[in-house]
Amino acid sequence: MNRLATYWSHGPALSLSTGVLLGLSFPPFGLPVLQIPAFVFLFRVADLSSGWRELAVGAYGAFLVWNLIATYWLMMATLAGGTAAILANSLLMLIPLLIIRYLLRSGIHPAVTPPLIAAIWVSYEFLHHNWDLAWPWLALGNGWADSTSLIQYISVTGHLGISFWVVVTAAVFYRAAAFASKKHLACAVLLALLFPAISLVMKAGYQEKSAQRLDVAVVQPNMNSYREYGGLATVDDLLTLLLELSDSARTETTDLIVWPENAIDSLIPRGNRFNATIRDSLRSWGTELITGTGYIDYYESGSEPSLVRGNISGRAYNIFNAAFHFTGERLPDIYKKGKLVPIVERIPFAESLSALDMSGQVNWGEIAGYGRGFHANNFLIGDQHATPALICYDSVFSHWVGNFVRNGAGFLTIITNDGWWGDTSGHKQHFSYARLRAIEFRRWIVRSANNGISGIISPDGSIRVETGYGIRTAFAQPIHPSDVMTFYARYGNWFNWLMLAVAVAGTAFTVRRGRLNRTGN
């Protein structure tokens, strides 16, 4: 008992434990329930600290350990960039915790504190998803992506509803520990069981309503991401390989073939000889294709955006990470990636920095990176079934995916290249997170990844096909497009906005109450 009491009062030990537990709560470790005791420890660290500086030092260590365990793989692609991202994200996590510490010490009613604390954490995650340095990877709900039977309620709240449940449950458990309260303990246990119980009931009652069928073939070429043309000699060789893999998997009933992000490893305009080669094959097979590619887009004079990559023969242009939808009969439709990885794909706040550069000494258009797409345009497969081509990072943003669903997407296509990280936790997490999108929108997921993991996910989050990593393969599978609209699909970020309103109003009220108490008014 003495050792337990000592541990409960030892800030550094609690901080280290918090970081380890949170790191292990994310895929591939499969221990998301550890988030609840981790936040109990985190609240204790906040309560033990004598001031905000002491809390910042202690909690930063916890957040740093969490980020390192869960996202160490960022440093596999770029050591400097990955290190900077981990250090910066750990720092940002201090902001909601400092507010939470204030609330824990404010003396507000204990029944109000847990939901207000949870609303603050959810608001932090929500806001962190909606700026130029967005990093939604470590939203607490993502840690539960493989526990699909326990999170079916996100079809109502979105995956940040999981974050709310974790934090509010941990806050009540902390109250129970801090005040040795059996009443609080009973409430905490009830909360811990309530949301999973609701989910299990939803899971048992869920029935897929779509009677439609679409036959898809998915290609995983397993090319080398760090070598030109994937390690082959020419684009022609690369295209030949992709077409051979497609032909090996397709059947006479295949409606759609899917290649991964950057499958055509070259900057191509909308019409050229490679496109003609693809269309010839599609005509003979009677099918269609979605593929990732680099895309160079030229602007008419006067229509160019504020930042462009450069000019060729007087025509402004930008380069995009893009997806093409090919049929056998027409030029491809195009989607330009909307959610770009900060720094890696686009310099954050490039437009603002350009506006502030009064001297014009820096060519911001050239160093900004990829052009950003703004349109959630679906591809129409067989003139009947709409789907987006979510490119890598796109798929982690629920609100962005929701735009495509509201625009008529009957299933979700994800194309990605996770080979930059090697055989690490990164590609496993990315695949798992797609299961959240399936549940939120009750849509089938078709996923093609260059090196893996490719697969098919059903609307309840169950995995129907899952390839191995680092193998060259292709497969065919039927899916069932649907026009069912979940509450979350219909109303989008309603829960997140509600949490933000609660967090702002509750914190403002607490601050005002504290000032009045200090002045005696």
Side-chain angles (χ1 to χ4, degrees), residues 294-356:
Y295 173 59
I296 183 167
D297 192 16
Y298 295 93
Y299 301 99
E300 297 297 328
S301 179
S303 66
E304 62 271 11
S306 59
L307 293 181
V308 296
R309 180 69 67 94
N311 286 270
I312 297 177
S313 300
R315 299 178 66 194
Y317 71 92
N318 264 327
I319 295 172
F320 295 87
N321 190 348
F324 280 14
H325 168 222
F326 286 94
T327 70
E329 306 303 327
R330 63 177 186 268
L331 290 175
D333 297 322
I334 301 168
Y335 163 70
K336 301 171 182 175
K337 186 178 181 181
K339 295 298 181 180
L340 300 170
V341 181
I343 301 175
V344 175
E345 289 189 305
R346 187 169 178 84
I347 298 299
F349 314 110
E351 288 82 3
S352 299
L353 292 171
S354 174
L356 292 172

Side-chain angles (χ1 to χ4, degrees), residues 107-129:
I108 60 176
H109 195 280
V112 175
T113 307
L116 183 53
I117 285 174
I120 287 167
W121 191 269
V122 171
S123 297
Y124 152 74
E125 291 187 345
F126 177 45
L127 294 174
H128 198 12
H129 297 184

Side-chain angles (χ1 to χ4, degrees), residues 70-127:
T71 60
Y72 68 92
W73 46 267
L74 287 169
M75 294 182 288
M76 303 292 289
T78 162
L79 180 59
T83 302
I86 288 171
L87 293 174
N89 197 59
S90 302
L91 187 64
L92 286 172
M93 287 175 165
L94 290 173
I95 297 173
L97 187 61
L98 291 172
I99 300 173
I100 287 170
R101 177 187 181 274
Y102 174 80
L103 294 173
L104 287 171
R105 294 176 168 236
S106 66
I108 60 176
H109 195 280
V112 175
T113 307
L116 183 53
I117 285 174
I120 287 167
W121 191 269
V122 171
S123 297
Y124 152 74
E125 291 187 345
F126 177 45
L127 294 174

